[in-house]
Amino acid sequence: MPFTNAFKMIKFRFLLLIVVINSISIVNCIEPISIGIAAGVGAIGFGYFKSQTYCRLYECCDDRSIPGNMTKLYESLSQTLFGQHMVQQHVMPALVAHLKSDSPSRKPLVMSFHGTPGTGKSFVADQIAQALYVEGAKSKYVHKYLGRADFAHPGRINEYKERINREVREFIQDCPRSLFIFDEVDKMPIGVFDTLTSLVDYAANVKGTDYTKAIFIFLSNTAGVRISDHLAELMKKGTQREDTRLSDFEEMLKMSAYNMEGGLKKTNMIEAHVIDHYIPFLALEKAHIVQCVEAEFQRWHIRPKQQDVNTVVNNAVNYDPKYSMFATSGCKTIEKKVAMVVNELRAP
Ligand SMILES: *[C@@H]1O[C@H](CO)[C@@H](O)[C@H](O)[C@H]1NC(C)=O
């Protein structure tokens, strides 16, 4: 971008100017304190200059680029996330508490999302990014890793550990308010996060870098089936889905993550209690799929007929063989299916 280059030139000349001013002071035998002051004023001036120019247009690690707009998150979740009352009840407050400027937090916020595909884990992680950063998930402070694409080979575990360790350090040094999203954690080799534990654990506040502002989110399908089993069991006993509580699931999730295959298996992250919240994403039922479909039509600014909604729901949904109640792919395929119907509606 030409403007960026121009800006770099200005920055370079400005620094040069400071150097020149300082050299003049040396020539004139002015005492070192003035040189220090001149350099200091120069640095502060440059910081101010940058915040007033560059950072108004481009992303910086500051309040403008990282507003942490929880109203926005609340609104977008309530309009687009269905059937996940525990997410609403626990993820929002966890973020709000973490983002408070007077928060006495001594470690980063670490959350682990569990659930079958299509329940909204990745969707929620993206919306968190969207609310925290002006640039959303595209922000240079949001770092997303995919188990299958980035960490597929168990034989390269040491390389992966080294990469995670190095990148997390570098990115947090660059901006303490970084967000790390590890997707498909169940596809990652065992032990991949072991070096991360010491960074994230508050006992280790390493070399002047502030690790306490960062947020880590782990997403895995692990325990998805167990969540469904547990939910079905609770419902059979007469508990309404919406009345199930985090405490009904938390311990089970922790145990499952620790014992089932994947990046969290036998990890010292769980042993060291580094993960603050285990959040279950419940398998969706037909009523939630209907909500997803209606919301998707709304995104197209179309008020659908009941018949169109039914068409999509009946086409898109398969139910689990065990309970015949939970949609096996959740709301995942809805977007494409609705787009098809919209196309047909709009065809002359
Ligand atoms: C936060 O988001 C809400 C809803 O999207 C918006 O109305 C509001 O202006 C935002 N606030 C800031 C400070 O950006």
Side-chain angles (χ1 to χ4, degrees):
M1 238 178 284
F3 185 84
T4 321
N5 286 335
F7 181 78
K8 278 187 184 144
M9 276 307 293
I10 295 171
K11 180 174 169 180
F12 177 66
R13 285 190 187 156
F14 194 76
L15 288 174
L16 207 63
L17 185 68
I18 295 171
V19 172
V20 171
I21 291 171
N22 286 343
S23 320
I24 293 170
S25 351
I26 293 167
V27 171
N28 292 341
C29 300
I30 292 171
E31 73 279 32
I33 291 177
S34 324
I35 300 173
I37 291 171
V41 169
I44 292 168
F46 183 69
Y48 180 74
F49 176 67
K50 189 179 176 193
S51 74
Q52 293 302 309
T53 53
Y54 185 85
C55 296
R56 286 206 169 180
L57 297 167
Y58 297 101
E59 188 175 37
C60 287
C61 182
D62 62 10
D63 288 343
R64 189 197 71 83
S65 298
I66 314 177
N69 189 339
M70 288 298 109
T71 316
K72 185 171 172 181
L73 182 61
Y74 181 80
E75 282 177 6
S76 68
L77 287 183
S78 38
Q79 283 160 15
T80 56
L81 183 73
F82 305 109
Q84 307 300 353
H85 64 285
M86 280 181 270
V87 174
Q88 303 273 18
Q89 285 166 7
H90 296 278
V91 173
M92 282 285 308
L95 284 166
V96 169
H98 180 71
L99 293 178
K100 268 205 173 134
S101 53
D102 58 352
S103 151
S105 162
R106 289 165 63 206
K107 69 184 278 302
L109 175 64
V110 185
M111 297 189 283
S112 189
F113 293 175
H114 301 262
T116 47
T119 46
K121 305 180 295 291
S122 190
F123 187 67
V124 170
D126 279 348
Q127 294 199 33
I128 290 173
Q130 220 65 44
L132 290 181
Y133 304 88
V134 165
E135 300 287 330
K138 289 201 246 12
S139 163
K140 61 182 174 193
Y141 307 124
V142 175
H143 309 283
K144 196 161 180 176
Y145 301 84
L146 285 175
R148 256 179 301 202
D150 294 324
F151 306 112
H153 306 289
R156 291 165 63 186
I157 174 89
N158 287 329
E159 183 190 320
Y160 298 155
K161 275 160 90 163
E162 194 273 331
R163 176 179 166 198
I164 293 176
N165 193 36
R166 174 171 42 84
E167 292 190 353
V168 167
R169 276 171 196 272
E170 282 175 9
F171 292 146
I172 293 183
Q173 240 161 37
D174 185 34
C175 182
R177 283 184 279 178
S178 293
L179 170 64
F180 297 88
I181 300 170
F182 292 93
D183 199 353
E184 302 176 334
V185 166
D186 45 316
K187 305 290 187 304
M188 297 183 186
I190 299 169
V192 72
F193 296 120
D194 284 0
T195 48
L196 189 60
T197 307
S198 64
L199 283 184
V200 171
D201 206 350
Y202 57 80
N205 204 333
V206 202
K207 284 189 209 134
T209 305
D210 183 5
Y211 285 86
T212 63
K213 301 253 185 313
I215 299 174
F216 292 83
I217 302 177
F218 299 94
L219 314 178
S220 44
N221 296 340
T222 319
V225 175
R226 292 198 185 174
I227 293 172
S228 300
D229 286 345
H230 198 56
L231 176 63
E233 206 175 293
L234 289 168
M235 286 167 77
K236 210 156 73 186
K237 284 187 196 149
T239 310
Q240 294 282 322
R241 177 189 172 105
E242 288 71 25
D243 293 336
T244 55
R245 286 167 310 173
L246 188 63
S247 55
D248 294 329
F249 293 88
E250 225 169 3
E251 199 55 30
M252 184 264 287
L253 288 180
K254 198 168 172 175
M255 295 304 289
S256 304
Y258 194 74
N259 290 311
M260 292 168 85
E261 287 306 308
L264 294 177
K265 184 167 182 175
K266 304 273 182 276
T267 180
N268 53 11
M269 234 178 1
I270 295 178
E271 287 167 8
H273 306 288
V274 161
I275 300 175
D276 301 297
H277 304 280
Y278 295 85
I279 307 288
F281 280 64
L282 305 179
L284 299 183
E285 297 168 55
K286 186 172 180 177
H288 308 117
I289 308 294
V290 170
Q291 287 179 305
C292 285
V293 171
E294 285 169 351
E296 190 57 28
F297 272 111
Q298 215 165 51
R299 240 164 45 91
W300 286 90
H301 304 290
I302 288 177
R303 190 177 293 179
K305 294 200 198 74
Q306 191 58 43
Q307 176 199 340
D308 296 326
V309 174
N310 289 346
T311 308
V312 178
V313 172
N314 294 335
N315 273 331
V317 186
N318 291 307
Y319 296 96
D320 72 284
K322 203 162 165 189
Y323 305 103
S324 309
M325 174 166 76
F326 301 126
T328 45
S329 56
C331 282
K332 221 166 192 175
T333 56
I334 298 300
E335 195 181 312
K336 296 279 182 284
K337 298 261 154 76
V338 169
M340 267 169 57
V341 174
V342 168
N343 256 336
E344 281 164 24
L345 289 176
R346 286 188 173 173

